[in-house]
């Protein structure tokens, strides 16, 4: 039976700590909203916009992201979206996104991964985050402007240089996507494009997404993820291998 259906039938347990009573207990929800702040990878890849995350990719946050992304716990969408919307709101409050509509541009999932999972996890979180931002009074919209232009290898285990080579030229703007997404407010006309992903590791995925937008004449203002990996450099990374 799919995990999403089990969540409706059986008493829920927290995906972060296993405690009974809720899919995400108050303590683990707080972990996902620990401290929205800039958490760029070190070193950042060329072309990476300013990168915000809500927390580090470990502990309860890591378990909840994996439960959602790999084990079908789709009821976690609002919980993860709250992290994304908190980051976007904090970034905008700093003045960078002031008086602009925010278009949340999800990093596209590989078609094979979406078929295997039965959903596109990043797009669903970005859509829910846009709705949450609208409830907060910040005009926002889901803007699925990107798609994968070619197949890429699994990124697991790859160093920063290998990830960059694997993703080079992998994304492209969807043809005809210049149409204006519907937002929850009229706004002043200016738009801030914010890339959205679940986790940032080396930053190469977000940098490639930013490159694809720039190639189409659109400049991303920021990138936002739920969590950021604490990087452990491999020896080859120090020598550019």
């Amino acid at each position: 039976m799919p995990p999403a259906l089990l969540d409706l039938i059986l008493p829920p347990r927290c995906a972060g700590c296993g405690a009974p009573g809720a899919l995400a207990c108050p303590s683990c929800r707080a972990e996902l909203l620990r401290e929205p702040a800039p958490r760029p990878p070190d070193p950042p890849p060329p072309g990476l916009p300013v990168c915000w995350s809500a927390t580090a990719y470990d502990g309860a946050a890591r378990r909840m992201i994996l439960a959602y992304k790999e084990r079908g716990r789709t009821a976690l969408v609002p919980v993860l979206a709250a992290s994304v919307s908190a980051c976007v709101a904090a970034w905008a409050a700093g003045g960078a996104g002031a008086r602009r509509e925010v278009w949340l541009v999800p990093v596209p999932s590989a078609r094979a991964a979406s078929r295997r999972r039965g959903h596109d996890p990043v797009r669903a979180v970005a859509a829910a985050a846009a709705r949450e931002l609208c409830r907060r009074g910040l005009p926002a919209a889901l803007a699925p402007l990107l798609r994968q232009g070619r197949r890429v290898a699994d990124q697991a285990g790859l160093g920063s240089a290998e990830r960059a080579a694997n993703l080079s030229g992998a994304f492209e703007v969807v043809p005809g996507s210049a149409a204006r997404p519907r937002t929850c407010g009229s706004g002043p006309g200016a738009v801030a494009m914010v890339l959205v992903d679940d986790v940032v590791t080396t930053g190469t995925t977000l940098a490639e997404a930013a490159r694809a937008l720039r190639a189409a004449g659109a400049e991303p203002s920021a990138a936002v993820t739920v969590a950021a990996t604490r990087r452990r450099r491999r020896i080859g990374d120090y020598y550019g291998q």
Side-chain angles (χ1 to χ4, degrees):
M1 186 177 292
L5 185 56
L6 288 174
D7 287 336
L8 297 175
I9 298 174
L10 300 177
R13 285 187 173 273
C14 177
C17 66
L23 188 59
C25 71
S27 177
C28 290
R29 282 179 179 267
E31 182 78 8
L32 280 172
L33 294 168
R34 183 189 298 166
E35 187 184 356
R39 286 185 174 85
D42 181 22
L48 179 69
V50 59
C51 188
W52 282 62
S53 301
T55 189
Y57 184 58
D58 55 22
R62 180 178 183 273
R63 289 189 289 271
M64 284 191 283
I65 290 170
L66 289 176
Y68 166 61
K69 190 173 179 180
E70 303 298 342
R71 293 191 283 278
R73 304 293 294 274
T74 54
L76 285 165
V77 166
V79 180
L80 300 177
S83 295
V84 170
S85 61
C87 283
V88 174
W91 165 77
R99 299 191 306 278
R100 287 190 286 176
E101 293 182 351
V102 175
W103 289 7
L104 299 187
V105 183
V107 169
S109 298
R111 296 182 185 92
S114 294
R115 286 194 298 269
R116 173 172 54 84
R117 294 170 178 146
H119 67 120
D120 185 333
V122 174
R123 178 167 175 162
V125 167
R131 294 191 293 270
E132 173 63 23
L133 288 166
C134 287
R135 286 192 289 269
R136 292 178 177 217
L138 179 62
L142 174 69
L145 304 180
L146 298 175
R147 69 181 182 186
Q148 284 210 330
R150 62 170 179 80
R151 290 185 179 182
V152 297
D154 190 342
Q155 296 275 83
L158 299 183
S160 57
E162 294 166 324
R163 285 173 178 250
N166 183 45
L167 287 170
S168 179
F171 298 151
E172 62 187 15
V173 169
V174 178
S177 61
R180 191 180 185 88
R182 294 180 62 184
T183 61
C184 53
S186 58
V191 170
M193 290 191 181
V194 177
L195 292 164
V196 178
D197 206 353
D198 53 353
V199 179
V200 58
T201 302
T202 65
T204 52
T205 301
L206 289 165
E208 164 58 18
R211 180 211 60 79
L213 286 178
R214 293 186 185 110
E219 180 64 34
S221 300
V224 165
T225 70
V226 176
T229 298
R230 301 182 194 276
R231 290 198 60 194
R232 296 176 177 84
R233 294 193 190 185
R234 304 187 321 169
I235 291 176
D237 289 336
Y238 287 103
Y239 298 96
Q241 299 175 4

